[in-house]
Amino acid sequence: MSIAAPMRAGARDLAHVAGAFGLGVVLLSAFLAIAGFHVAPALSALWNGAFGSWDNFTSAALVRATPLVILGLAFTLGSKAGTLNIGMEGQFAAGAIGTTWAGLHLGGVPPVLAVAVALAGGLIAGAAWVALPVILRMKLGVSEVITTLLLNFVGVAAVSYAVTGPLQEPSRIYPQSALIAPAARLPHLAAGSRLHLGFIFAIIIAGLLSLLLKQTAWGFRIRSVGAGPRAALIIGRMPVATIAATALLWSGALAGFGGAVEVTGVSYALYQNLSPGYGFTAIAVALLGRLQPTFVLVAGVLFGALEAGAAAMQRDAGIPAVAVQVVEAVVIITVLLTARRRA
Amino acid sequence: MLHEISKSFGATVALSRVSLSVVAGQVHALLGENGAGKSTLMHVAYGMLRPDAGTVTVSAAGGIATTTHGFPSPRAARAAGIGMVHQHFTSIPALTVCENIALTAGWTETGRAAERRAESVVGRLGLPLRVSDYVESLSVQLRQRLEIVKALAANARILLLDEPTAVLAPREVDELLTFVREFALGGGAVVLITHKLDEVFRVADRVTVMRRGEVTLRDVIAKQTPQSLSRAMIGADLPPPIRLEARTGDVLVRASGLRLQRRGVAANRAGIEGADFSVRAGEVVGVAAIEGNGQRELLRAIASVDDIAITTGSLDVAGPVGFIPEDRTTEGLIPQFTLAENLLLGTIARSTRWLAWPALRARTGELLRAHDVRASGPDAAAATLSGGNQQKFVFARALAGKPRVVVAEDPTRGLDLRATQVIHERLRDAARQGAAVIVHSSDLDEVLALADRVLVVARGQVRELPRDTPRDVVGDTMLALESVA
C-alpha cells in the first residue's frame, strides 16, 4: 500500500462504507420484520443508543469503541508485518488479569504511578501471552494463526480460574475479583460521563502508529517484511523473521494493553465475559479500516456506536443484541468485496 | 484462420485488425517485442479472450468452424482442434502426468484405463515420461514436453507454442524444433512465438511480425534476413554489438576451493562443489548454466544475499556489491510500494531512524531521469511500470550505490529487444567504469554476446571455457555431457 493511495481513495471508500451500512440496516429491518418485531421503534432505539444524545455517544459508543480501536490497531500492526494475530481475545484476557493483579496491590501508591504500573502489567501480560506463538513461529515455523487462536481459549479459561481462585474477591461468593485500588483507575474525561482517559490513549496510539509506520525506518522495515518478504531479505537485507516476530510481539502487547484499559477505565475488576468478543470484532474493525491506523480509529468508533445501539435496542425494544451482527456482517462482507474487486 | 482481430484493454489497443493465416503442414513464426500483442492474439485464438471484433475460423476435414467473436472458451477451441502451450507451465504439480493429460483432454476414463491411454499418447512421441510420475518430480524440459503431450492428447491439429524454448538448453531446443518440424510434416499446423531469430530460420516456413498491435511484416521465411525481421520488430536496425577489448584491473572476486550450499537444505541438493576462479575490475564474466545447477547459489554467495553457507574453501569479494535478482517482482521490488519506497529498500540498512521522504523522492526523481525509467514519478507504484522499466529501475538502484562488483541473475528475462539492449549497455557501462560484472543468463546466446569470459556451472562444478569455444561445446558442457578437462 502506497502512502498516498489511501488518501486518494478515501472519498470512494467512505461512500462504500456508508452504502454498506445502509444495506446492513435494510437487511436488519427485514430480518426484524420477519421475526415479528416492530421495526421503527427498534431502529429508533438503535440510533438513540448510539447517537441519541452527547452522553449516549460518549458514555456508551466511545466507551465501547475504545477497546475495539486499541485491538484493531494491534491487529493492524501485526498484519503490516505479514502476521495474523487472531489471538487478541486471549491477549486481552491476559492483559486484564495482569492489570487486575497489579491493581489489587497498588493501595497507597500515588495515582499517576499506580495507573502506569497497572497499565504496564497489562502490556507485559499481553506480550507474555503472545510470546509462545512468537517463539514457535521463529524456531519451528509454526503458523501464528493456529497458536494465537488456540491460546484464546486458554486465556478465557485463565480468567475463569483467576476469578474463582487466586484473584477471587475476599468473600469468595462471586466469580470476580475485588475492585482495584482507586489510584490505579483511569480518570473520566468529564464529570458524570463514563468516557475515560483510555479513549485518548486510543487516539494517541493511532496517531503514533501511523507516524511510526510511515515516517520511521522501524515502520518501513515492518511494512517491507509484510508486503514483500523476499525483497526485504534480498534487497533490504533485513532479518525478516525477527522483524515479523517483533511486530507480532508488539501486537500482543497492545492487545494486552486493551485489556488493561478496559479494567482500569470501565470494570475496575476482573470477571468472566469481560470482553463480548472484542478480540474478534476488532479484526473486522481493522479490515474495515483497511489496516490504516487513522481509518481504524474511525471504523472502531462506528462499530462502538453499533454495539452501543445494539445494547439500547435490547434494553428498550427487547430485541437480542446479536441482531446487530447482521449489520456488522453486511458491512464487513461488502467492504471486503469492494476492496477485492479493486485489487 | 484469424481475421481482422481487434482487442482493447481499457484505453490500450492491444490488437488492431490483425489477421493471421496458418496452413496445415507449415510452421508459422510469430515475432514481435514484448507487448506487441503476440500472446494476446494467441489467447484470442485459444478462446481465452473474446476479441472486440474479427473472426476466428478453423477449417477441418468435417467442415469449417467460424466464430464471429472468437471461441467462447479454451474448451471450445480444443474441440475445434487447437492446442496451446503457454509460456508458463499449466500442469498441476501435485497430480500425475496421466491425471494432467486426462484433465486437459477431457477424458472420461479414470485409473488404469486412463493410464493406458496416456501411455499410448506418450509412447507415440517416444518421450521418457512415466505417466504415473508426479509432475513436481519432472525436469523443466519434461514438464514442457508434457504441455505438448496434453495438447496432442486432445487431438490438436493446430499447435500454438508461446516461447517454448525460453527455458531450454541448446540440445533440448534442437529436440523441440525437430518435433515441431515433424508435427508439421505430419499435416499439423504450428504457430511458434519466439524471441530468437535463429530458431525462426531453422524451423519456420512463414513469418508474421507484429509491432504495437499491428502486423508489420508477413512473408515466407526464405525471402527474409535477420536484419529485415528485426527491423520489422523494433522499427529500426539493431546497432552492431560493440565489444571493446577488456581493460582489466585488480582482482575483486576470488574463489578458491569453494564449496557452498543453501542453508537448511538436504545435503545433496544444488550447491557448488568446487570452484576456483577470479574476476577482475573492468570485465564482464558470463555464467552459463541450466536452472538448478548451483549457479544461483554461487551468484548469491558472491552478493552475500540469501542463506548460503560456505562449507570449505574461501570466497573473497571486494564490496560493495550491486545485486540484480532474477525475479524482479518478488525479490527486486515490492510491487505495491512506490518507487521512492523501493529506492529506500536498497538503502534501508544505512538509513537514519526518521525517514527523509522529500529527499528520497527527489533522489528517486533524479534516478528516473538519469536512467530513462518511464514512470509517472517517484510516487508511482512499482507495479504500474512495464517489465523493462522495472528492470531499468532495479539497475538504477543497484548502480546508484557505486558498486565495485555487480552480480546480475538473468537480467533480461522476459524483456523485449529494446529493453534488453539498454540492460546490456548498463552492464557494459558498469564494467567500463571499473566494476567487476558477473552475469548469468538462461539464454546462452546472451551470455556469449555479453561476456569477456565464460564460466559454465554444471552439477555444482564451475569451469572456465576459452573465449572462442564453439557454442555447441558450451551447451554440451552446460548439460555436463562431456568433461572438458
Side-chain angles (χ1 to χ4, degrees):
Chain A
M1 186 60 61
S2 73
I3 295 171
M7 295 306 163
R8 280 199 302 274
R12 207 173 42 180
D13 282 342
L14 213 59
H16 280 145
V17 172
F21 265 96
L23 183 62
V25 170
V26 169
L27 281 178
L28 175 67
S29 309
F31 168 77
L32 291 176
I34 292 167
F37 293 104
H38 295 291
V39 174
L43 291 184
S44 158
L46 180 67
W47 175 262
N48 282 330
F51 303 107
S53 68
W54 180 246
D55 186 55
N56 282 1
F57 182 60
T58 55
S59 289
L62 292 187
V63 167
R64 284 163 196 271
T66 301
L68 289 176
V69 171
I70 295 176
L71 296 186
L73 294 170
F75 185 80
T76 300
L77 177 56
S79 299
K80 284 289 178 189
T83 66
L84 283 173
N85 183 6
I86 311 294
M88 296 185 295
E89 189 77 4
Q91 293 140 20
F92 181 94
I97 295 173
T99 294
T100 305
W101 180 80
L104 291 173
H105 295 83
L106 286 169
V109 177
V112 176
L113 184 64
V115 165
V117 170
L119 293 178
L123 196 77
I124 293 166
W129 207 251
V130 85
L132 183 65
V134 168
I135 293 167
L136 286 174
R137 180 187 155 105
M138 275 201 78
K139 298 290 176 199
L140 300 171
V142 179
S143 166
E144 75 282 358
V145 175
I146 296 162
T147 49
T148 56
L149 177 71
L150 290 178
L151 280 173
N152 282 335
F153 305 115
V154 185
V156 171
V159 171
S160 298
Y161 168 71
V163 296
T164 54
L167 292 182
Q168 192 173 14
E169 45 85 31
S171 72
R172 302 245 161 224
I173 297 168
Y174 304 104
Q176 65 179 63
S177 74
L179 296 181
I180 59 171
R185 298 176 194 172
L186 291 176
H188 289 135
L189 292 181
S193 169
R194 292 179 60 228
L195 187 61
H196 52 87
L197 193 60
F199 184 66
I200 304 297
F201 287 160
I203 294 173
I204 292 172
I205 295 169
L208 208 59
L209 189 60
S210 179
L211 189 74
L212 284 170
L213 287 173
K214 285 176 189 167
Q215 302 295 342
T216 69
W218 184 82
F220 182 77
R221 288 197 177 90
I222 284 181
R223 289 195 294 126
S224 301
V225 165
R230 289 296 297 168
L233 176 74
I234 301 289
I235 300 296
R237 294 166 185 273
M238 299 178 195
V240 172
T242 311
I243 291 171
T246 309
L248 186 56
L249 194 66
W250 275 106
S251 173
L254 204 48
F257 186 77
V261 165
E262 194 67 4
V263 168
T264 54
V266 178
S267 72
Y268 305 143
L270 183 69
Y271 44 82
Q272 292 168 7
N273 305 325
L274 184 67
S275 157
Y278 285 142
F280 300 111
T281 310
I283 296 174
V285 167
L287 294 178
L288 184 63
R290 300 278 299 277
L291 301 176
Q292 304 291 327
T294 43
F295 288 14
V296 170
L297 179 63
V298 176
V301 170
L302 273 177
F303 269 62
L306 262 183
E307 303 249 329
M313 202 167 69
Q314 179 160 15
R315 196 174 55 236
D316 301 343
I319 294 159
V322 290
V324 166
Q325 287 177 1
V326 173
V327 183
E328 294 182 0
V330 169
V331 170
I332 293 161
I333 291 169
T334 312
V335 169
L336 289 182
L337 280 178
T338 52
R340 191 187 173 83
R341 201 179 50 200
R342 205 176 313 138
Chain B
M1 172 190 170
L2 290 150
H3 184 67
E4 305 241 315
I5 299 286
S6 295
K7 176 75 188 173
S8 300
F9 299 103
T12 313
V13 179
L15 297 174
S16 169
R17 299 159 65 90
V18 173
S19 299
L20 178 73
S21 306
V22 189
V23 183
Q26 288 198 345
V27 178
H28 198 121
L30 183 56
L31 297 178
E33 292 189 283
N34 280 333
K38 309 178 302 278
S39 291
T40 308
L41 186 65
M42 290 304 99
H43 288 169
V44 168
Y46 192 53
M48 293 168 70
L49 289 172
R50 304 299 295 264
D52 301 333
T55 57
V56 179
T57 310
V58 176
S59 33
I64 297 174
T66 301
T67 59
T68 31
H69 279 283
F71 291 110
S73 69
R75 184 184 292 257
R78 280 199 295 272
I82 299 178
M84 177 148 185
V85 173
H86 296 270
Q87 211 168 344
H88 306 286
F89 299 153
T90 57
S91 294
I92 301 170
L95 296 182
T96 66
V97 168
C98 172
E99 287 164 337
N100 269 290
I101 295 173
L103 195 62
T104 311
W107 290 350
T108 48
E109 296 98 323
T110 54
R112 275 302 301 162
E115 284 194 6
R116 269 196 296 276
R117 195 167 162 189
E119 271 162 8
S120 82
V121 176
V122 172
R124 219 159 55 220
L125 294 167
L127 288 176
L129 266 179
R130 271 216 310 275
V131 297
S132 56
D133 279 353
Y134 285 92
V135 169
E136 60 198 356
S137 70
L138 299 181
S139 69
V140 169
Q141 184 194 12
L142 280 179
R143 277 196 204 198
Q144 206 230 17
R145 301 307 283 273
L146 173 60
E147 298 291 324
I148 297 176
V149 171
K150 284 181 350 189
L152 297 183
N155 296 318
R157 292 171 302 99
I158 303 165
L159 269 184
L160 314 176
L161 307 176
D162 195 353
E163 290 196 46
T165 59
V167 292
L168 301 182
R171 184 168 296 256
E172 298 166 349
V173 170
D174 292 344
E175 288 176 24
L176 179 74
L177 295 183
T178 306
F179 161 79
V180 166
R181 270 274 36 116
E182 284 170 0
F183 181 75
L185 283 176
V190 180
V191 177
L192 176 69
I193 296 182
T194 178
H195 278 303
K196 297 173 191 167
L197 294 179
D198 67 303
E199 290 171 6
V200 175
F201 285 97
R202 279 163 70 192
V203 76
D205 301 294
R206 298 185 64 86
V207 61
T208 295
V209 180
M210 292 179 64
R211 177 169 152 73
R212 295 185 182 166
E214 293 176 14
V215 172
T216 52
L217 186 146
R218 183 184 287 128
D219 202 355
V220 292
I221 202 75
K223 292 190 191 160
Q224 294 295 324
T225 64
Q227 287 72 28
S228 65
L229 292 183
S230 78
R231 201 158 44 231
M233 279 163 75
I234 69 171
D237 279 307
L238 287 172
I242 313 154
R243 197 198 287 257
L244 298 172
E245 203 47 51
R247 293 202 306 168
T248 55
D250 302 339
V251 170
L252 295 184
V253 179
R254 186 194 300 277
S256 48
L258 179 66
R259 295 161 77 93
L260 54 80
Q261 189 166 54
R262 189 173 289 273
R263 240 184 276 269
V265 163
N268 55 0
R269 294 293 290 278
I272 292 294
E273 288 150 23
D276 291 275
F277 65 89
S278 57
V279 185
R280 289 172 178 279
E283 64 179 354
V284 179
V285 170
V287 175
I290 298 165
E291 218 170 297
N293 274 274
Q295 79 282 3
R296 192 180 164 89
E297 286 69 25
L298 178 63
L299 262 56
R300 287 177 178 229
I302 295 171
S304 67
V305 295
D306 229 347
D307 224 0
I308 311 293
I310 292 173
T311 44
T312 54
S314 67
L315 178 64
D316 299 308
V317 180
V321 181
F323 181 58
I324 290 100
E326 178 178 332
D327 195 330
R328 279 189 293 285
T329 51
T330 64
E331 294 193 336
L333 298 164
I334 298 181
Q336 65 269 46
F337 273 18
T338 67
L339 292 177
E341 288 175 309
N342 273 296
L343 179 68
L344 174 60
L345 196 60
T347 57
I348 186 72
R350 299 185 299 279
S351 171
T352 50
R353 186 165 300 184
W354 291 88
L355 303 175
W357 283 116
L360 273 166
R361 294 173 69 249
R363 276 236 317 280
T364 309
E366 285 165 26
L367 223 52
L368 297 182
R369 276 189 296 281
H371 288 257
D372 190 31
V373 180
R374 312 264 169 82
S376 58
D379 293 329
T384 61
L385 273 63
S386 71
N389 282 309
Q390 286 179 347
Q391 191 70 325
K392 278 195 251 175
F393 179 78
V394 170
F395 264 80
R397 184 181 59 194
L399 298 180
K402 305 237 179 309
R404 297 187 71 195
V405 178
V406 174
V407 177
E409 287 177 344
D410 224 348
T412 62
R413 178 187 270 192
L415 300 188
D416 60 40
L417 270 174
R418 202 190 308 257
T420 298
Q421 274 178 15
V422 173
I423 297 300
H424 285 179
E425 210 41 52
R426 296 269 192 284
L427 286 167
R428 291 201 191 93
D429 274 345
R432 234 170 271 148
Q433 285 161 20
V437 177
I438 301 168
V439 55
H440 162 65
S441 170
S442 55
D443 180 354
L444 178 55
D445 291 319
E446 181 173 38
V447 173
L448 296 177
L450 264 176
D452 300 313
R453 290 163 52 209
V454 176
L455 295 176
V456 173
V457 184
R459 295 184 189 161
Q461 302 291 328
V462 181
R463 293 206 184 85
E464 173 155 7
L465 296 183
R467 187 166 154 176
D468 313 320
T469 310
R471 189 178 176 284
D472 295 346
V473 177
V474 179
D476 286 351
T477 313
M478 285 163 71
L479 288 165
L481 288 180
E482 55 185 89
S483 63
V484 183

